[in-house]
Amino acid sequence: MSDNAFIQNYSASIEQLVKELRNKPFRFIPIETNAPIPVRRQVKRSIQKHYPNHSTTTVTAKNETALSLIQAVYRLGTGIAFIDDFDTIIDQPQKAEKIEQSIEKLCTFHIAVIAFVPYEYKTKYKETVPKLFAKSNLVLELKYIYSYNLIKPEIAERVTGSFLEQHEIEKRKYFIGKLTDELDNVTDNKNDITFRSYILLHLLQFNADLHQYAEALKYGNQLLHLTYNFKKHNKKELAKLNKLIGTLYYENHQYEEAEIHLNKALQYAEETHFGEEIPLILHELGTAFRREGNFNSAIKVINEAIRFSEKNFGKYYTQIATYQSNLASVYLEIKETKPAIELLEKALINTEINLIKEHPRVAVRQSNLALVYQEAGEYNKARILLEKALNIARKNAAQNKLTIAIHQSNLAQAYRGLGNYKRARILLEDAVQKTGGKNHPALAYVYHNLAWVYRDTKKRTKARDMYHKAYLVLLETLGKEHPNTISVKKDLEFITEQLQKRHRIVQTLDELSDSVIKGIQLIANKRFWNSRTAP
Amino acid sequence: MQKAKTLSDIESALQAVRALEYNHEFYVDLNDLRNGYDENKILEALHIDTKNYTYNQDNPFNKSIVFVAGIGGSGKSTEISRWIHYLNNPQAFYCILCNIEHSLDLNNLEYSDIMIFQVKKLINHLIKDNIQLNTLVIELLQHVLNDIVYEIDGKYDISIQKTDGSKTLKNIYNLLQNLVHYLKNNLVQSRIVRNAIKHYFYQLVDCFNTFFEAVNRQLRQENKAQEICFILDGIEKVKSGEMRRKLIMDESFRLIQMRCNTLCILPVELKKEERELSLFSTVISLPLPSVEDRASHPIEKAYKRFIQLVSQRIDFKLFDKEETLRQAIAFSGGSPSELMDIISEASKIAIFQKKNINANAIDLAIRKLAADKSKFINETDINLLKKLKDLNKRGIPVTNDDGFEELIQRQVVFEYDHNSLKKVKPLIKASNLYRFHVG
């Protein structure tokens, strides 16, 4: 079903409801949602557009006392009252109580009070304002599905050069040159062979850091050959090396070869009871399955890695946090947010136990969890975590500016979700400065987020400029065929077309770019619609 | 250190150095008295030919880890110096002795500390012996160490400089020296340094291993040795049993990442983990010399050897007669360290009595030491000691259960004869507590 079809269904429901209300008294219609404030406002405008003859008002509960809220409704007399931030009423028991006390008087007005209720308050509001809830015949759900086409700033578990500064890249290139020369001077006789193997290992690692996987594999296979010749009885060594080669193959998108090597690694590790390696290999296998899209196998295998580690090394063994984080990523791929949140919460606790609280890795875990909170609509929880992550990033001298920019960008998303565009814009504009124009896919994410904020605040020309910059970065770093590049290109074309038409852009749901909102579903809770009668 | 010629010299002569350098005039070989011990097993585990002390490992990738377990005071550190003497030759090893006892914080220690300390000692030796190394290898090590420094510098008053760019061993030595300083400084700083080391562990260990192989190559070229061999001493002196276990058992996966030959003293209570340890190492026991047989009859050869051991340190005229010394030897249970304690205590009494060391002085010394050493015996220990007495009386072999292993580790019980014979330490047996409760 298209967005329009959903809107039509929703509109039909509301029209019927309003017809019901016409000569009927007061109704309360909660819309349980995970959508950010900009999307809620777009839903509101859509309703207003469909019912131009109805008086409407919007109240922001945060800024009003209970009395002024009630008076705003009285002044409306008849029509639709929107409450954007119903959660602030729920968080203030005195305000909620005053509203409850006024219910009898409110019921004499022919008004539909439509309140957006964040998911995290789904149960609480029914307990806090039971009399008001009793006036609802209809409970709607506005489910916002995040687009996975855009880059997620998952600060990767495996640091394989993702955030290398230029000088670190240069250093690695320097070592590759020197090591390649040295390799020519080192024979493969008995006296030199071990030294040669370490040269190959370093060459493999540095090439992998620079994403030069084919080169890394070249050295890796030489190392594997050498190892089979000299260490064929040393299965632990073979386990480790096969795991390494397997990882390189899947980074190079050669998934079949990756699985072969990882399964060999697992076999060697199990034969030698090589405790530490077994969950590591299982985890790598799981990550390879995920890349292939075989999510069920990925879940099974990474779960096994976690179970093995907990049993053999203890619940808070440091590596378990990595497995939990990556398993959460798999759940997110199949759109299961709840298990992902549980896993990321555990990973964060594990990391805080094992490292000092200001360690950069703690910030990574906080960020990853916060992003999923956002997807579940829990923007405030996300904001709190992202503030902490940004503080840690700033404290760490080792954090490069790009990492700080990414943290700022994540936090800006949370502020945007809470409707605080000013703060979001300031964070993102500063993040752009910090990146210094470096070409990195994560920079495109910063530009794209800023484009959203400019669009929310109607600065469409600036929004177009940001889309354009994001597009150029992605073109250079990921190529024109990459889904992210294509997605951003569509956004750019859309907004350029709008500007060229010089029309005032009406922000209705069906005008929003597909690439930004993949699915917005308004689902009428038919049980309520059919069963309740007016008092 | 000189032989004691007066009573007042005795204490300093016995306490000054417990572990002797090889070929020291005080050294007496007790190895043939250690039933069940074969020194050749250590050499074989290290792939050293027992006839000519040459290294003969065909597979250059294979490095050996050997654990030597022995009760405290049994002469392990003295034996280490012998092994170093024989193994340090151009056809065998370049031995690096790493005694952590006075160099690291024994109350707060993890394997990463030992790792850094080992490499620091190695570099110190290389500098002293003027061994020149491939600068690329030095650069690689500098690169990863600088990353660690970058992560920790400025935190919690840690002030540590990166290497200055010159590709020298001295540079790296200074940096490692600083890391060791912070590792034993205070809890917070040590934790930060350790976390950084663990964060970079695999990169660091790859660089260390490359470094070791570069050193091995150079040693062979200069005809100084075939391979490096680290000798780790002092782990058994780490204060808590839990920490000792963690270092050897829980952190074994880190230990085996360091690809170099290693000979390590194993805390005696971990000997029971031999099965697990043998997955990646060889475990060899260094039992106490036996001064009496299973039937508790004195072994004359052992007594003569211990008399020689004492005579080389103390002028025999300071004893009234040989029987006095024999009495002390009997109560030592074969432990050179216990014997030193008894004689040292007896010498203080003799000074007070203004006589030579006689049977009375020995007797009083034994009583005092028995009271001191039995202070921490508890009810559980008493029950085990009763059980031990009964088993020994009936000639039934004693099992290696946890209770007895703990008593061995606390030196309440001594072990002999291929670890098949356990006996209560004579000084404990002499205590009033033991006599009253066990009989």
Side-chain angles (χ1 to χ4, degrees):
Chain A
M1 277 179 122
S2 69
D3 290 348
N4 276 342
F6 283 127
I7 292 166
Q8 279 167 5
N9 278 345
Y10 176 70
S11 304
S13 305
I14 289 291
E15 191 166 341
Q16 275 190 294
L17 172 65
V18 171
K19 271 185 195 165
E20 284 273 320
L21 288 176
R22 209 162 267 157
N23 290 312
K24 298 234 167 84
F26 177 85
R27 278 293 181 272
F28 172 62
I29 303 163
I31 303 180
E32 294 169 358
T33 183
N34 68 336
I37 283 181
V39 173
R40 297 183 208 175
R41 287 179 183 161
Q42 282 148 10
V43 169
K44 217 171 23 166
R45 283 195 281 272
S46 168
I47 296 168
Q48 285 168 324
K49 190 188 167 197
H50 279 85
Y51 306 106
N53 296 325
H54 284 78
S55 307
T56 61
T57 190
T58 301
V59 288
T60 307
K62 189 173 70 172
N63 301 333
E64 307 281 352
T65 60
L67 186 61
S68 59
L69 265 175
I70 294 162
Q71 281 175 346
V73 175
Y74 291 165
R75 276 198 296 276
L76 183 63
T78 180
I80 305 171
F82 293 100
I83 305 179
D84 274 346
D85 53 348
F86 196 70
D87 47 304
T88 54
I89 294 174
I90 300 161
D91 279 338
Q92 294 174 61
Q94 283 173 334
K95 212 181 249 186
E97 204 189 317
K98 285 217 158 59
I99 290 170
E100 287 278 282
Q101 285 165 3
S102 312
I103 287 294
E104 294 311 316
K105 188 155 185 211
L106 279 171
C107 284
T108 59
F109 290 89
H110 296 166
I111 283 170
V113 174
I114 299 176
F116 291 95
V117 180
Y119 275 166
E120 58 196 297
Y121 290 88
K122 248 158 77 154
T123 314
K124 203 174 171 193
Y125 83 95
K126 293 170 192 169
E127 293 160 359
T128 313
V129 287
K131 285 185 189 171
L132 183 61
F133 183 65
K135 301 298 173 192
S136 64
N137 265 0
L138 190 69
V139 177
L140 294 166
E141 184 185 0
L142 170 59
K143 191 170 176 179
Y144 179 66
I145 297 167
Y146 276 74
S147 163
Y148 285 96
N149 275 353
L150 293 175
I151 302 154
K152 287 293 178 193
E154 281 165 350
I155 300 169
E157 295 299 335
R158 189 186 305 103
V159 180
T160 50
S162 301
F163 299 114
L164 290 178
E165 295 265 26
Q166 194 54 37
H167 72 271
E168 288 169 316
I169 293 172
E170 294 308 323
K171 197 74 188 174
R172 278 156 177 77
K173 286 182 182 170
Y174 166 79
F175 276 125
I176 287 173
K178 285 264 179 174
L179 287 163
T180 312
D181 292 339
E182 187 67 27
L183 198 60
D184 293 336
N185 297 330
V186 178
T187 65
D188 54 6
N189 68 38
K190 191 181 161 190
N191 275 340
D192 285 354
I193 198 92
T194 42
F195 187 57
R196 187 179 174 83
S197 73
Y198 286 113
I199 303 279
L200 288 169
L201 184 64
H202 286 295
L203 278 166
L204 182 163
Q205 188 58 58
F206 286 137
N207 275 293
D209 287 349
L210 299 177
H211 306 294
Q212 292 167 181
Y213 297 115
E215 270 298 290
L217 274 166
K218 180 178 102 183
Y219 295 113
N221 280 314
Q222 284 184 45
L223 187 53
L224 195 60
H225 175 75
L226 211 149
T227 307
Y228 274 124
N229 283 346
F230 280 92
K231 304 190 215 181
K232 55 179 177 279
H233 301 298
N234 191 336
K235 290 185 178 172
K236 283 184 182 168
E237 200 65 43
L238 290 171
K240 285 189 73 174
L241 202 44
N242 272 288
K243 185 194 82 178
L244 189 54
I245 305 285
T247 309
L248 288 172
Y249 270 120
Y250 86 64
E251 294 284 8
N252 208 33
H253 310 294
Q254 293 173 263
Y255 300 118
E256 264 184 46
E257 286 86 351
E259 272 181 53
I260 290 169
H261 282 280
L262 289 170
N263 277 314
K264 261 194 205 161
L266 192 59
Q267 180 199 332
Y268 288 130
E270 283 170 350
E271 277 174 21
T272 52
H273 308 287
F274 196 1
E276 250 249 327
E277 280 300 308
I278 292 172
L280 284 169
I281 297 164
L282 285 167
H283 170 253
E284 293 296 336
L285 251 178
T287 321
F289 283 139
R290 178 192 162 193
R291 287 283 187 97
E292 277 183 297
N294 187 348
F295 300 120
N296 285 338
S297 296
I299 288 171
K300 184 180 162 203
V301 158
I302 300 178
N303 259 324
E304 184 52 39
I306 294 171
R307 265 194 298 272
F308 186 97
S309 301
E310 282 177 347
K311 185 181 166 201
N312 289 285
F313 310 122
K315 195 174 157 195
Y316 294 114
Y317 177 60
T318 185
Q319 202 67 25
I320 289 174
T322 304
Y323 306 152
Q324 286 164 332
S325 271
N326 286 334
L327 182 55
S329 300
V330 180
Y331 276 116
L332 289 171
E333 296 264 26
I334 55 173
K335 315 277 193 274
E336 289 190 38
T337 317
K338 195 171 170 221
I341 288 179
E342 281 168 11
L343 283 161
L344 290 171
E345 283 171 350
K346 284 180 187 171
L348 177 58
I349 292 170
N350 180 310
T351 308
E352 283 175 337
I353 286 170
N354 282 295
L355 302 172
I356 51 170
K357 289 220 156 137
E358 288 161 350
H359 195 280
R361 201 160 278 264
V362 173
V364 169
R365 302 271 182 244
Q366 287 166 336
S367 280
N368 287 345
L369 178 54
L371 294 173
V372 186
Y373 278 147
Q374 282 186 119
E375 289 188 23
E378 298 180 65
Y379 292 97
N380 216 27
K381 270 188 184 174
R383 180 192 60 80
I384 292 166
L385 272 178
L386 290 167
E387 297 272 18
K388 287 181 184 172
L390 181 57
N391 277 341
I392 291 174
R394 283 177 176 152
K395 277 185 188 170
N396 278 281
Q399 288 285 322
N400 61 45
K401 286 187 176 173
L402 188 56
T403 309
I404 295 175
I406 301 250
H407 282 293
Q408 280 181 206
S409 188
N410 290 344
L411 181 56
Q413 258 200 317
Y415 275 116
R416 183 178 167 259
L418 291 165
N420 189 341
Y421 301 119
K422 186 177 173 188
R423 185 90 183 106
R425 182 180 53 76
I426 290 168
L427 281 165
L428 285 165
E429 284 171 355
D430 187 57
V432 169
Q433 295 296 318
K434 280 198 166 52
T435 57
K438 284 187 185 56
N439 256 3
H440 191 285
L443 173 59
Y445 177 76
V446 179
Y447 284 143
H448 194 278
N449 272 358
L450 191 47
W452 262 350
V453 173
Y454 282 143
R455 216 189 49 219
D456 290 337
T457 51
K458 314 260 192 312
K459 294 185 170 94
R460 295 183 189 97
T461 309
K462 282 191 175 181
R464 183 205 49 200
D465 292 344
M466 289 300 119
Y467 276 131
H468 188 238
K469 285 186 174 181
Y471 175 63
L472 289 176
V473 170
L474 290 174
L475 202 60
E476 178 149 344
T477 54
L478 298 180
K480 69 176 184 182
E481 301 303 330
H482 196 280
N484 289 357
T485 316
I486 295 169
S487 172
V488 171
K489 190 179 173 199
K490 274 190 191 169
D491 291 336
L492 176 60
E493 283 167 355
F494 171 74
I495 202 159
T496 307
E497 194 192 322
Q498 293 300 313
L499 280 171
Q500 280 171 353
K501 280 181 184 171
R502 295 176 191 275
H503 286 168
R504 184 174 172 273
I505 294 167
V506 179
Q507 295 285 321
T508 57
L509 288 170
D510 56 334
E511 285 172 301
L512 283 169
S513 165
D514 280 342
S515 68
V516 174
I517 299 172
K518 271 293 180 186
I520 297 179
Q521 303 163 5
L522 301 178
I523 303 159
N525 188 326
K526 289 190 177 152
R527 180 166 60 84
F528 278 97
W529 175 242
N530 289 330
S531 66
R532 301 294 293 274
T533 53
Chain B
M1 193 168 51
Q2 288 185 338
K3 187 169 173 174
K5 291 203 184 324
T6 66
L7 285 172
S8 50
D9 293 338
I10 288 177
E11 196 184 352
S12 53
L14 296 183
Q15 296 298 334
V17 176
R18 285 291 173 114
L20 297 173
E21 291 289 315
Y22 174 72
N23 268 348
H24 195 280
E25 55 178 323
F26 287 1
Y27 178 78
V28 169
D29 187 358
L30 301 173
N31 284 334
D32 58 329
L33 304 175
R34 301 179 197 271
N35 290 341
Y37 173 63
D38 182 359
E39 188 179 70
N40 286 339
K41 283 190 181 148
I42 296 177
L43 299 175
E44 280 161 13
L46 289 168
H47 295 277
I48 295 287
D49 188 304
T50 55
K51 292 192 182 78
N52 51 24
Y53 294 99
T54 56
Y55 182 61
N56 60 2
Q57 168 61 273
D58 281 333
N59 189 331
F61 288 96
N62 284 351
K63 313 292 179 190
S64 306
I65 300 175
V66 180
F67 286 108
V68 178
I71 204 166
S74 57
K76 295 187 296 300
S77 296
T78 304
E79 288 306 300
I80 280 173
S81 68
R82 270 188 67 245
W83 298 329
I84 291 175
H85 171 76
Y86 288 115
L87 295 174
N88 240 353
N89 73 72
Q91 301 313 314
F93 291 140
Y94 186 69
C95 291
I96 310 293
L97 175 61
C98 306
N99 191 334
I100 68 169
E101 190 180 353
H102 302 295
S103 307
L104 295 174
D105 182 356
L106 299 180
N107 288 308
N108 171 27
L109 192 66
E110 288 188 19
Y111 180 70
S112 44
D113 307 26
I114 297 176
M115 202 171 86
I116 299 292
F117 178 62
Q118 270 179 263
V119 178
K120 191 196 95 160
K121 290 287 279 186
L122 170 62
I123 293 177
N124 193 25
H125 275 256
L126 295 174
I127 293 171
K128 277 189 190 156
D129 293 340
N130 199 28
I131 293 180
Q132 301 301 321
L133 269 196
N134 184 321
T135 54
L136 174 59
V137 168
I138 296 176
E139 269 190 277
L140 280 168
L141 196 43
Q142 281 176 335
H143 171 70
V144 72
L145 288 172
N146 284 342
D147 283 347
I148 290 173
V149 166
Y150 195 33
E151 189 163 310
I152 62 177
D153 184 37
K155 289 201 176 114
Y156 292 97
D157 297 327
I158 293 176
S159 171
I160 189 164
Q161 300 297 315
K162 282 195 220 179
T163 55
D164 63 12
S166 63
K167 299 164 198 172
T168 62
L169 287 172
K170 182 77 182 145
N171 217 297
I172 299 183
Y173 177 82
N174 290 338
L175 200 153
L176 292 174
Q177 176 100 306
N178 273 326
L179 287 176
V180 169
H181 165 73
Y182 287 111
L183 280 166
K184 57 180 194 172
N185 210 25
N186 67 52
L187 286 176
V188 174
Q189 287 176 338
S190 61
R191 193 167 172 221
I192 288 172
V193 175
R194 274 186 208 129
N195 282 339
I197 291 169
K198 284 180 201 171
H199 188 198
Y200 286 95
F201 179 77
Y202 288 105
Q203 292 102 297
L204 191 59
V205 95
D206 283 343
C207 288
F208 280 163
N209 289 335
T210 312
F211 187 78
F212 297 151
E213 289 308 323
V215 171
N216 288 340
R217 249 174 121 222
Q218 191 62 25
L219 290 170
R220 287 191 283 264
Q221 278 174 17
E222 292 187 24
N223 202 30
K224 285 194 156 82
Q226 299 301 305
E227 297 253 332
I228 299 164
C229 180
F230 286 104
I231 298 171
L232 300 181
D233 193 10
I235 292 179
E236 77 281 12
K237 297 197 170 63
V238 169
K239 296 299 179 207
S240 94
E242 197 186 312
M243 210 180 287
R244 290 192 294 268
R245 164 169 277 277
K246 189 169 179 282
L247 279 170
I248 303 291
M249 304 306 298
D250 300 347
E251 293 203 84
S252 59
F253 72 95
R254 287 199 219 278
L255 196 152
I256 60 180
Q257 299 296 332
M258 293 278 272
R259 300 293 163 80
C260 49
N261 297 299
T262 309
L263 197 154
C264 181
I265 301 299
L266 182 72
V268 71
E269 75 271 16
L270 295 179
K271 205 158 43 66
K272 67 179 186 229
E273 307 294 347
E274 185 176 345
R275 195 158 164 253
E276 198 174 322
L277 289 169
S278 63
L279 290 174
F280 61 90
S281 66
T282 309
V283 179
I284 290 162
S285 288
L286 186 78
L288 277 175
S290 297
V291 292
E292 54 187 38
D293 60 22
R294 282 183 176 261
S296 303
H297 300 132
I299 300 173
E300 191 52 33
K301 183 169 89 168
Y303 272 80
K304 283 200 165 109
R305 199 72 58 78
F306 272 92
I307 290 171
Q308 183 191 357
L309 185 140
V310 172
S311 307
Q312 278 174 205
R313 294 166 196 244
I314 301 171
D315 191 339
F316 198 72
K317 287 186 209 149
L318 296 172
F319 292 90
D320 64 343
K321 50 189 174 183
E322 190 178 290
E323 279 70 30
T324 305
L325 184 49
R326 281 180 170 261
Q327 186 189 359
I329 292 167
F331 276 90
S332 73
S335 166
S337 175
E338 294 282 300
L339 180 58
M340 303 303 169
D341 284 347
I342 294 170
I343 295 172
S344 180
E345 194 61 41
S347 70
K348 290 180 210 166
I349 295 165
I351 291 170
F352 183 74
Q353 289 176 339
K354 294 184 183 150
K355 291 179 184 174
N356 279 357
I357 300 171
N358 55 25
N360 179 250
I362 294 287
D363 189 50
L364 288 170
I366 286 166
R367 283 194 210 184
K368 182 183 183 293
L369 289 169
D372 285 346
K373 290 180 193 257
S374 62
K375 249 190 289 198
F376 301 105
I377 305 279
N378 58 39
E379 200 178 320
T380 312
D381 298 339
I382 295 287
N383 290 333
L384 279 169
L385 292 173
K386 282 180 185 170
K387 186 178 171 187
L388 181 63
K389 182 183 176 186
D390 181 54
L391 288 170
N392 281 342
K393 196 173 169 185
R394 294 193 281 149
I396 297 172
V398 181
T399 56
N400 278 336
D401 66 27
D402 286 343
F404 287 120
E405 289 301 324
E406 206 217 313
L407 289 178
I408 292 168
Q409 186 262 314
R410 284 164 51 202
Q411 295 190 36
V412 174
V413 167
F414 282 167
E415 211 172 29
Y416 307 91
D417 287 6
H418 307 265
N419 307 323
S420 64
L421 177 63
K422 291 175 179 50
K423 286 185 175 178
V424 180
K425 182 159 92 169
L427 281 175
I428 297 286
K429 239 177 152 178
S431 67
N432 286 337
L433 188 84
Y434 183 89
R435 283 184 186 160
F436 182 81
H437 288 286
V438 183

